[in-house]
Amino acid sequence: MSASVWSDVVGQAQAIGRLSHAAIDPVHAYLFVGPPGSTKDEASRSFAALLMAGSDDPSHRDARLTLAGEHPDVREVERLGARISAEQVADIIRNASLAPVEGSRKVMILHDFHLLDASAAARLLKTLEEPPASTIFIVLADQVTPELVTIASRCVRIVFAALSTDAVAARLVQSGIDPATAEV
């Protein structure tokens, strides 16, 4: 496999194709929906790397920093506790309003948004609908819950399927596991 920002995304050719095309003229918000283990988390970093670097070259400084979780203009938000709190939403809103540090855009990756409560979703909606021109949101969720329906309607939805046994086995073989063990 040739070097690509998408190298860690397994079995998601359709999603990669849509996102590669979307990076040419990105919109303000994307919702990645799929089960745990579908590599949507890896895809969020890959898409952010493509947006920041402007190319599919993982050795480009912006791509390399983004893929490593170290780019100053790419912020990942993980939930603290059982649900995404009102304090976390306030922090997201505040960070979205700040100018990028290095470049012309900033990417906010929001993990586990299926665990967002209704009041937090309502607070975030206006920022997600009308973010600063420099901010792009990537929202990740296992499924679209009732609390997420309105936010989902404001995003381009990218669906990540559960990985097939063949895709997992192929990736294991590619990483050096013998084929018989990979099949098990």
Side-chain angles (χ1 to χ4, degrees), residues 10 13 19 24 27 31-32 42 51 64 66 85-86 102 120 124 126 130 149 166 170 174:
V10 178
L19 291 167
I24 297 167
V27 297
L31 173 63
F32 291 13
E42 292 82 354
L51 291 170
R64 192 177 69 253
T66 300
S85 68
E102 288 188 4
L124 184 60
K126 177 130 178 84
E130 300 172 14
V149 168
D166 292 341
Q174 183 182 36

Side-chain angles (χ1 to χ4, degrees), residues 5-144:
V5 296
W6 301 106
S7 294
D8 289 336
V9 181
V10 178
Q12 303 294 348
Q14 185 175 8
I16 290 171
R18 286 190 66 202
L19 291 167
S20 295
H21 182 72
I24 297 167
D25 187 20
V27 297
H28 66 284
Y30 296 85
L31 173 63
F32 291 13
V33 180
S38 62
T39 67
K40 69 180 179 290
D41 289 345
E42 292 82 354
S44 69
R45 286 180 210 99
S46 297
F47 184 49
L50 186 60
L51 291 170
M52 298 309 288
S55 74
D56 186 15
D57 177 3
S59 66
H60 184 284
R61 177 187 178 278
D62 287 328
R64 192 177 69 253
L65 289 173
T66 300
L67 292 169
E70 298 174 356
H71 198 291
D73 289 329
V74 178
R75 175 114 188 196
E76 290 195 50
V77 178
E78 302 273 354
R79 70 182 159 87
L80 304 172
R83 300 195 65 76
I84 295 165
S85 68
E87 295 80 27
Q88 281 187 283
V89 169
D91 190 51
I92 291 166
I93 293 167
R94 185 183 61 76
N95 277 300
S97 70
L98 299 174
V101 175
E102 288 188 4
S104 61
R105 76 170 41 131
K106 174 172 46 184
V107 178
M108 305 261 319
I109 301 173
L110 312 178
H111 294 273
D112 291 330
F113 258 61
H114 55 282
L115 299 173
L116 183 69
D117 66 33
S119 64
R123 288 193 65 207
L124 184 60
L125 186 60
K126 177 130 178 84
T127 300
L128 205 63
E129 285 178 320
E130 300 172 14
S134 61
T135 302
I136 296 173
F137 285 97
I138 303 173
V139 180
L140 288 80
D142 291 354
Q143 68 270 341
V144 178

